[in-house]
Amino acid sequence: MTIARLVLWRLLQAVPVLLLVAALAFALEMVAGDPVTASLGPDATAAQRAAAVAQLGLDDPLPLRYLRFVGAALRGDLGVSTRLARPVGGLIAERLPATVELAGVAFVLSLAIGIGGGAYAAVRRRARSTRLLLLASLFGVSLPTFLTGTLLILIFAATLRVLPSFGRGEVVALGGWTTGLLTGSGWAALVLPALTLAAFQSALLLRLVRDGMIVALDSEFVRFARARGLSHGVVLRHALANALTPVVAAAAVQLGTLVAFSVVTETVFQWPGLGQLLVESVATADEPVIAAYLMLVALLFVAINLAADLLCLAIDPRLRVAPAGGA
Amino acid sequence: MTLLAVEDLVIEVPGGRAVDGASFTIEPGEVLGVIGESGAGKSLTGAAVIGLLPAGARMSAGRILLDGERIDDLHEEDWEDLRGKRISAMFQDPATALDPLRCIGAQLNETLNAHHPMIEKVRRERVGDWLDAVGLPRERMRAYPHELSGGMRQRLALALALCPAPELLVADEPTTALDAPLRVQVAALMRRLAGRQRTAVLLISHDLHTVAAAADRVAVMYAGRIVESGPAEAVLRAPAHPYTAALLAGLPGVGPRRARLPAIPGAMPLPGTRPDGCAFHPRCARVAPRCRREAPTLAPGTAACFYPLTAQAAHG
Ligand SMILES: Nc1ncnc2c1ncn2[C@@H]1O[C@H](COP(=O)(O)OP(=O)(O)OP(=O)(O)O)[C@@H](O)[C@H]1O
Ligand SMILES: [Mg+2]
């Protein structure tokens, strides 16, 4: 099966990438971190320190320590936060839901706006409303995220006072996960940060979809479809499918960046997610957390790209030929 | 009764008139071949008949009648009802004419269903029948366009265009993108399948073999006008217009071996640069003073020429 082979191949390709990122994370901990001081405190005696070094294996050769680091990470042992003195894995698990929900809602929102708006702008190429839409999308791609966020807070939270400007609202615990999607205040809290995140992404998608859709609508197969009497709606659907294939890869990268780099938005809205955790950890030089964050982001990108590849395969039969075929 | 009548059609493009008073008719079930050099206005004429003029081209005068009713002033929604069912079309490039994302069976299925809703089982049978008809094995129903050869794709396009059983098919260069040996084969297939369901064809082509293989009648287009028309056999064997004669001079067996229209010295005038008198006179070997002053008109079954090569009545 070519699909199974592709998945296997992609996973194999991901291994060196992940190992490299792990090496970076390891180097970061090694260069910047001081696990001895972290575990014993600054006023330990030289003898105590030497004993700790031996016990932690810090005088072992580097490759061995690296392997030990990777092995521990694979078992889910990501070390202990120097700032909070808690296991990093637990810290991340605690913050992950907030970021995933924010990024997920923002992603769905930007897909809806990007695809809907892009298709509209292509079909109604010369309408006044289209020009307005494109102008708005220009703002979307050019305004920096912190400015969009601040503006939204200024309008909806400070002036109109209809939406909260910080926090997640009330959350409900579901097993190990906390969700804000089941409460009114949770949704209300989501609106502004999700809009802020989606502003840039949806504007970018809108332009991509519009360009692709214009090409598709002008293509021969659409002309032929119309010539043999397929209805407007059917033709639009097929044109959109063709316009979207190249958008999938772009959207995947965007989803990755939404999760990984929501740092700014989370800071502006004091959103208790991974981005905020990262900012706090960088500020206090909490190397184990930063290292774990790095590896998590790398893993996320690998997973999302794999999903995007599979989606492209499902949509476009031309990609399903065996890679060696060269067709 | 005449199926299609194009009367004094004028199509303007930014440079000027690309079609400049073209008139012709097609009877039910008849195959009319339209030939002429590149830029004569053949494709624009075909596009006007199917109501799909490209952006930048505009029909500014004339009438197009289907079964005696005007179709050139229809709204897009009305065109949607007409296309496929009554007039269908296929185009030159089989590589880009099909939706690359869906298998060929689905595309046939969808086209059939759009015009003649029927139960799934019957429809699947019909899809198979159409694949058979154009010489594609039924088992390839699930094949995607990129898995087919150019010839197979164009035969599939023929099935897609014909399956709604239209009264008229506009086929714009349906064989031009194919290798020479395939052209006549596809042209003959088109003639057979269209004839089987009495679909008339407006067959536009550069390729004289294609036209010879499929057309009942031939119209020759030059600089946006029909300059000669008549029964295919008569026009191709004994052309009356010097332009037609020059075109035919390149047919294998007569002149140098070339499948496409031969080069005639000089170039056809671009839209907006039509010379006074007969538009062909600057390139015509038989040019006379009158040709520079006066534009000849086309009477039915003749050539628009003051000094035709054969008797005026030749094509009757
Ligand atoms: N969309 C358009 N915009 C502007 N000019 C056009 C357009 N379509 C065609 N033309 C011009 O109109 C003239 C006739 O074009 P048309 O495509 O009908 O020629 P044709 O006889 O089909 O030629 P060919 O054999 O090369 O296909 C040409 O001079 C062409 O440049
Ligand atoms: Mg053409």
Side-chain angles (χ1 to χ4, degrees):
Chain A
M1 265 296 286
T2 63
I3 299 215
R5 269 180 50 194
L6 177 112
V7 172
L8 209 67
W9 177 233
R10 277 299 151 92
L11 289 178
L12 276 177
Q13 279 179 316
V15 170
V17 174
L18 292 175
L19 280 178
L20 190 70
V21 173
L24 279 175
F26 172 68
L28 178 78
E29 279 206 54
M30 217 187 54
V31 172
D34 181 1
V36 178
T37 313
S39 63
L40 297 179
D43 12 82
T45 66
Q48 278 173 315
R49 295 183 67 95
V53 164
Q55 197 224 328
L56 292 172
L58 293 182
D59 44 7
D60 287 343
L62 273 185
L64 188 63
R65 287 173 61 197
Y66 171 64
L67 285 182
R68 209 183 289 140
F69 175 84
V70 172
L74 283 178
R75 287 193 309 272
D77 174 7
L78 297 168
V80 176
S81 158
T82 53
R83 177 170 61 106
L84 301 168
R86 286 180 50 200
V88 174
L91 271 181
I92 286 183
E94 209 173 276
R95 298 298 194 101
L96 191 65
T99 293
V100 166
E101 287 188 355
L102 174 57
V105 170
F107 186 60
V108 171
L109 198 65
S110 48
L111 279 186
I113 299 175
I115 294 175
Y120 179 87
V123 174
R124 294 268 144 81
R125 231 169 284 187
R126 271 168 276 276
R128 191 179 299 260
S129 48
T130 295
R131 254 175 283 158
L132 223 63
L133 199 64
L134 289 177
L135 192 70
S137 80
L138 199 62
F139 273 107
V141 285
S142 40
L143 275 191
T145 307
F146 74 88
L147 201 63
T148 316
T150 313
L151 275 177
L152 286 177
I153 289 180
L154 212 64
I155 299 172
F156 293 99
T159 311
L160 298 175
R161 295 175 184 284
V162 285
L163 289 167
S165 67
F166 63 87
R168 272 186 95 187
E170 209 179 319
V171 294
V172 177
L174 294 174
W177 191 269
T178 58
T179 179
L181 300 180
L182 295 174
T183 63
S185 70
W187 275 103
L190 252 176
V191 174
L192 292 185
L195 272 180
T196 304
L197 261 187
F200 177 80
Q201 315 289 345
S202 59
L204 201 71
L205 275 182
L206 188 146
R207 291 180 161 258
L208 273 178
V209 170
R210 169 180 169 267
D211 293 351
M213 190 70 176
I214 284 180
V215 171
L217 285 175
D218 285 345
S219 70
E220 274 295 299
F221 91 82
V222 162
R223 188 167 144 86
F224 184 36
R226 292 179 68 196
R228 59 183 200 268
L230 298 186
S231 72
H232 190 56
V234 170
V235 173
L236 283 189
R237 224 175 48 232
H238 296 326
L240 188 61
N242 276 273
L244 285 187
T245 353
V247 173
V248 171
V253 173
Q254 296 213 0
L255 180 58
T257 45
L258 278 178
V259 178
F261 306 118
S262 54
V263 177
V264 177
T265 319
E266 294 196 1
T267 306
V268 171
F269 289 95
Q270 296 170 46
W271 190 260
L274 287 176
Q276 213 183 48
L277 179 66
L278 179 69
V279 172
E280 292 161 5
S281 303
V282 169
T284 56
D286 193 348
E287 289 86 14
V289 179
I290 302 174
Y293 183 85
L294 260 180
M295 292 191 287
L296 185 72
V297 166
L299 197 65
L300 188 78
F301 268 87
V302 167
I304 289 177
N305 276 323
L306 181 62
D309 281 344
L310 289 177
L311 189 60
C312 282
L313 275 180
I315 298 178
D316 194 338
R318 284 166 297 184
L319 303 174
R320 270 174 266 176
V321 288
Chain B
M1 184 184 172
T2 297
L3 175 67
L4 179 81
V6 172
E7 299 175 353
D8 300 314
L9 178 67
V10 177
I11 297 173
E12 297 197 28
V13 296
R17 295 179 160 198
V19 176
D20 191 5
S23 301
F24 59 90
T25 59
I26 299 181
E27 301 304 314
E30 181 184 50
V31 180
L32 174 69
V34 175
I35 58 175
E37 284 169 296
S38 186
K42 307 182 297 291
S43 292
L44 285 179
T45 303
V49 169
I50 185 81
L52 289 175
L53 276 175
R58 190 176 61 90
M59 180 173 161
S60 60
R63 303 199 305 165
I64 301 175
L65 302 114
L66 184 70
D67 269 335
E69 281 175 48
R70 279 188 78 157
I71 57 171
D72 54 85
D73 53 1
L74 291 182
H75 289 291
E76 183 54 33
E77 302 89 75
D78 299 321
W79 262 116
E80 253 182 49
D81 295 335
L82 207 75
R83 284 196 208 109
K85 247 187 261 340
R86 300 195 60 197
I87 308 185
S88 186
M90 65 183 290
F91 305 104
Q92 177 167 343
D93 187 5
T96 55
L98 305 167
D99 186 345
L101 303 186
R102 287 177 312 129
C103 68
I104 62 177
Q107 299 192 42
L108 259 173
N109 194 339
E110 171 187 65
T111 307
L112 278 170
N113 196 38
H115 301 291
H116 307 285
M118 49 193 130
I119 59 168
E120 182 64 29
K121 210 174 139 229
V122 178
R123 205 164 61 214
R124 189 154 314 160
E125 200 50 36
R126 291 287 300 279
V127 168
D129 292 346
W130 271 105
L131 289 177
D132 282 347
V134 294
L136 288 167
R138 249 168 218 264
E139 300 73 51
R140 305 222 54 186
M141 215 177 264
R142 302 214 170 278
Y144 288 94
H146 73 271
E147 296 167 337
L148 306 181
S149 69
M152 289 163 112
R153 281 183 220 163
Q154 200 62 324
R155 279 180 283 150
L156 180 73
L158 182 63
L160 284 166
L162 282 178
C163 72
E167 293 157 54
L168 176 69
L169 170 69
V170 177
D172 188 356
E173 312 266 11
T175 63
T176 307
L178 306 178
D179 290 339
L182 275 179
R183 289 188 187 154
V184 171
Q185 189 195 330
V186 169
L189 180 67
M190 165 185 279
R191 182 183 171 81
R192 187 156 52 77
L193 294 180
R196 188 175 78 167
Q197 57 185 24
R198 275 186 66 72
T199 294
V201 183
L202 174 58
L203 170 61
I204 296 166
S205 186
H206 273 110
D207 182 54
L208 296 167
H209 300 292
T210 298
V211 173
D216 299 308
R217 259 183 340 119
V218 167
V220 184
M221 198 160 189
Y222 187 81
R225 280 184 199 166
I226 307 295
V227 296
E228 173 166 13
S229 77
E233 209 249 336
V235 172
L236 295 178
R237 183 173 39 77
H241 199 288
Y243 176 62
T244 315
L247 281 180
L248 297 180
L251 266 187
V254 183
R257 256 183 181 280
R258 259 175 300 186
R260 289 205 155 205
L261 294 182
I264 303 168
M268 185 162 50
L270 290 172
T273 62
R274 165 184 282 276
D276 288 337
C278 171
F280 187 58
H281 85 251
R283 302 169 75 187
C284 185
R286 297 164 65 86
V287 61
R290 187 182 173 195
C291 307
R292 299 195 171 89
R293 287 191 313 267
E294 237 180 291
T297 53
L298 180 73
T302 60
C305 179
F306 298 122
Y307 308 101
L309 291 159
T310 50
Q312 288 283 328
H315 301 333

